[in-house]
Amino acid sequence: GQSLEQPSEVTAVEGAIVQINCTYQTSGFYGLSWYQQHDGGAPTFLSYNALDGLEETGRFSSFLSRSDSYGYLLLQELQMKDSASYFCAVPNQAGTALIFGKGTTLSVSS
Amino acid sequence: GAGVSQTPSNKVTEKGKYVELRCDPISGHTALYWYRQSLGQGPEFLIYFQGTGAADDSGLPNDRFFAVRPEGSVSTLKIQRTERGDSAVYLCASSLAGGEGGYTFGSGTRLTVV
């Protein structure tokens, strides 16, 4: 089956750079996704990596290494509003829906 | 609509009662997903619809849970004989077929069974 591991908490200060790692086990691989969720809010899509390498979208970048079953989300120039939970996700075995990790809570302080 | 709409936003029900949770997806999104999320956990997959049919219901925890999408747009998640352990936020998401462009989630229904 599928499983994902990510740190439960990360803290950082405004303006810093933080990396949230995700390792996964899956029987078939279709890509690694990242979602952000603020307290009480809906998860929102951040990025999707199907191939190895770095994808950059503004202050956020996502990296994938399929050979290592590993990816990370890189957040630069942190702002207070980046305080949220971040989830990595991979498709389930049938490829029909995403399976989410338990999430990493990022706390950004001034 | 502009986003995924879920109603009600909050629902408190007594143990043993029946509840229905509604999801109105983004117009044109053929794929619809139900998840539930407990505090401090990631969303847990329940069921996936492609059009009107339930293409994958492997995440439904037991036969008290059922979902329909009769016209390929609005979906209803139905829970019979609710138990306190059913208390969670129930999230609905929709996407274009394939989902690689990401899911759009609604704000969820917070279900509390007392």
Side-chain angles (χ1 to χ4, degrees), chain B:
Chain B
V4 177
S5 175
Q6 291 189 246
T7 54
S9 55
N10 279 284
K11 176 72 177 178
V12 179
T13 191
E14 291 182 346
K15 179 176 177 298
K17 299 290 189 183
Y18 167 84
V19 296
E20 290 190 351
L21 313 180
R22 176 188 166 105
C23 173
D24 199 343
I26 290 176
S27 178
H29 278 190
T30 57
L32 184 146
Y33 313 83
W34 283 99
Y35 285 80
R36 72 176 173 183
Q37 187 175 27
S38 300
L39 195 62
Q41 301 294 314
E44 174 194 4
F45 169 67
L46 296 177
I47 187 169
Y48 157 62
F49 287 90
Q50 182 59 247
T52 60
D56 184 351
D57 64 357
S58 62
L60 294 177
N62 52 60
D63 61 6
R64 294 186 298 105
F65 289 74
F66 189 71
V68 295
R69 195 185 185 199
E71 297 178 356
S73 55
V74 171
S75 176
T76 304
L77 178 67
K78 308 180 181 194
I79 310 175
Q80 298 178 319
R81 305 184 303 280
T82 51
E83 300 177 356
R84 293 197 178 88
D86 299 334
S87 296
V89 175
Y90 288 80
L91 295 165
C92 175
S94 69
S95 74
L96 296 171
E100 289 86 3
Y103 295 176
T104 302
F105 280 87
S107 296
T109 294
R110 181 176 298 278
L111 176 67
T112 305
V113 182
V114 297

Side-chain angles (χ1 to χ4, degrees), chain A residues 69-91:
Chain A
S69 297
Y70 163 76
Y72 65 72
L73 182 68
L74 189 74
L75 299 88
Q76 302 182 75
E77 301 171 23
L78 281 174
Q79 302 175 10
M80 298 290 285
K81 68 178 182 179
D82 298 328
S83 294
S85 292
Y86 293 84
F87 298 92
C88 56
V90 294

Side-chain angles (χ1 to χ4, degrees), chain A residues 21-94:
Chain A
N21 299 320
C22 174
T23 57
Y24 58 85
Q25 289 186 332
T26 178
S27 53
F29 185 72
Y30 305 97
L32 181 69
S33 301
W34 289 92
Y35 284 75
Q36 177 193 60
Q37 185 178 32
H38 286 98
D39 261 355
T44 57
F45 173 72
L46 291 177
S47 67
Y48 170 72
N49 292 66
L51 303 176
D52 291 353
L54 192 67
E55 297 273 346
E56 299 183 56
T57 309
R59 295 188 296 114
F60 293 3
S61 303
S62 56
F63 173 82
L64 175 65
S65 169
R66 288 174 295 172
S67 61
D68 297 321
S69 297
Y70 163 76
Y72 65 72
L73 182 68
L74 189 74
L75 299 88
Q76 302 182 75
E77 301 171 23
L78 281 174
Q79 302 175 10
M80 298 290 285
K81 68 178 182 179
D82 298 328
S83 294
S85 292
Y86 293 84
F87 298 92
C88 56
V90 294
N92 61 8
Q93 191 166 354

